[in-house]
Amino acid sequence: MNTDTIETNAAEPVAGDGPALSRRRFLTGAASLGTLVVSGCVSTQESAAPVAKAPVEPAPVADANALAMYGPLPNERFPIPAVDLKKVPSRYYRRQVDYATEEPVGTLVVDTDNFYLYLVQPGGKAMRYGVGLGRAGFTWAGRGRIGWKQEWPKWTPPDEMISRQPNLAQWSADRGGMPPGLTNPLGARALYVFQGKVDTLYRVHGTPEYWTIGKAVSSGCVRLMNQDIIDLYDRVPSQSPILVLGDPTQPHTHEVAGGSAPAPQAG
């Protein structure tokens, strides 16, 4: 039971043609970092033929909406820098999409196969966020609720993580955990998933490592860019339901192809 997401990407070829070299010219360049530099020596009776260079393809430029969504947040308790959007594929930018689901409005749906989190909205819509997943993000599936929300949370590594990485013992529960801040693995906000009164230890949280969005990394649960977790946090009240896909008994939920729009701001 996976979220069906259709993405199309097109890349235009880059071509560069160089002129034929004179019989009297010699190759004297060297290859460095994959780029061949060519220079020629000719007699005084001939002038050197110009060396053609392949056109340089400019880096992709994010649209104004994306730049605004992922710009700096100087008024946060710990000012958050802008996201370098060249390091995050655009398919993982926050956006509103058409979404067919039996889940009630306000439900969070985590699609671990496609690295998306959906917040179900009225009118067959959902707000979609790109996520990164750690080992713990794949180990739990099912239904729960957001039992607790926290701005700029502390981080306490579990005992099994400390046993694998003893250097994390300095942040153990006995020592009060890691204080909040820009380097804290939980980022700017955290949503804690419970089943009944039991903490599942499953977290939806921010991350300063935005380049891990869309990837499976070594630790953590479900991570969003700090700008996205702040947006989600403001939209989701405590006790909101959450469904983590992976349980085949749960209803099918999917995104409708071709129905996306820039994300409206929370508020």
Side-chain angles (χ1 to χ4, degrees), residues 21 24-30 36-41:
L21 297 179
R24 296 187 181 183
R25 298 182 63 233
F26 297 91
L27 180 65
T28 60
L36 186 65
V37 181
V38 180
S39 61
C41 296

Side-chain angles (χ1 to χ4, degrees), residues 232-250:
L232 179 65
Y233 186 97
D234 291 342
R235 296 177 189 270
V236 175
S238 184
Q239 309 309 315
S240 294
I242 181 169
L243 168 63
V244 179
L245 298 178
D247 183 344
T249 68
Q250 303 302 329

Side-chain angles (χ1 to χ4, degrees), residues 95-99 118-122 124-128:
R95 63 176 56 243
Q96 188 179 65
V97 297
D98 291 333
Y99 195 65
Y118 296 88
L119 174 61
V120 180
Q121 297 177 314
K125 301 287 185 181
M127 189 62 65
R128 189 186 75 188

Side-chain angles (χ1 to χ4, degrees), residues 45-249:
Q45 282 80 22
E46 293 182 20
S47 59
V51 178
K53 297 182 179 179
V56 177
E57 184 125 350
V61 178
D63 62 39
N65 186 65
L67 291 172
M69 286 193 299
Y70 297 111
L73 299 175
N75 296 323
E76 280 289 320
R77 176 180 172 189
F78 302 95
I80 297 173
V83 171
D84 182 353
L85 292 176
K86 295 190 295 295
K87 297 182 179 180
V88 183
S90 60
R91 64 182 176 275
Y92 297 123
Y93 297 173
R94 183 196 329 155
R95 63 176 56 243
Q96 188 179 65
V97 297
D98 291 333
Y99 195 65
T101 181
E102 298 175 20
E103 301 302 322
V105 171
T107 302
L108 285 76
V109 180
V110 180
D111 176 5
T112 57
D113 284 343
N114 294 298
F115 295 91
Y116 288 128
L117 181 151
Y118 296 88
L119 174 61
V120 180
Q121 297 177 314
K125 301 287 185 181
M127 189 62 65
R128 189 186 75 188
Y129 304 84
V131 303
L133 295 167
R135 184 183 299 109
F138 291 103
T139 58
W140 185 84
R143 294 184 179 275
R145 62 182 175 85
I146 304 303
W148 188 40
K149 298 170 56 178
Q150 184 67 40
E151 295 188 19
W152 291 105
K154 290 184 178 181
W155 175 64
T156 305
D159 292 341
E160 58 270 22
M161 181 179 289
I162 293 175
S163 67
R164 295 192 306 267
Q165 303 178 61
N167 61 304
L168 297 179
Q170 61 182 316
W171 309 123
S172 68
D174 292 342
R175 299 186 181 184
M178 178 186 282
L182 291 178
T183 60
N184 186 296
L186 291 184
R189 306 285 191 274
L191 307 176
Y192 299 76
V193 179
F194 284 67
Q195 283 185 312
K197 295 182 179 180
V198 178
D199 184 355
T200 66
L201 302 181
Y202 202 88
R203 310 284 186 252
V204 178
H205 61 88
T207 179
E209 299 176 344
Y210 49 78
W211 52 90
T212 65
I213 299 303
K215 300 176 182 178
V217 292
S218 61
S219 62
C221 290
V222 179
R223 55 175 67 188
L224 290 75
M225 288 181 276
N226 274 326
Q227 284 84 344
D228 280 348
I229 192 62
I230 291 172
D231 182 88
L232 179 65
Y233 186 97
D234 291 342
R235 296 177 189 270
V236 175
S238 184
Q239 309 309 315
S240 294
I242 181 169
L243 168 63
V244 179
L245 298 178
D247 183 344
T249 68

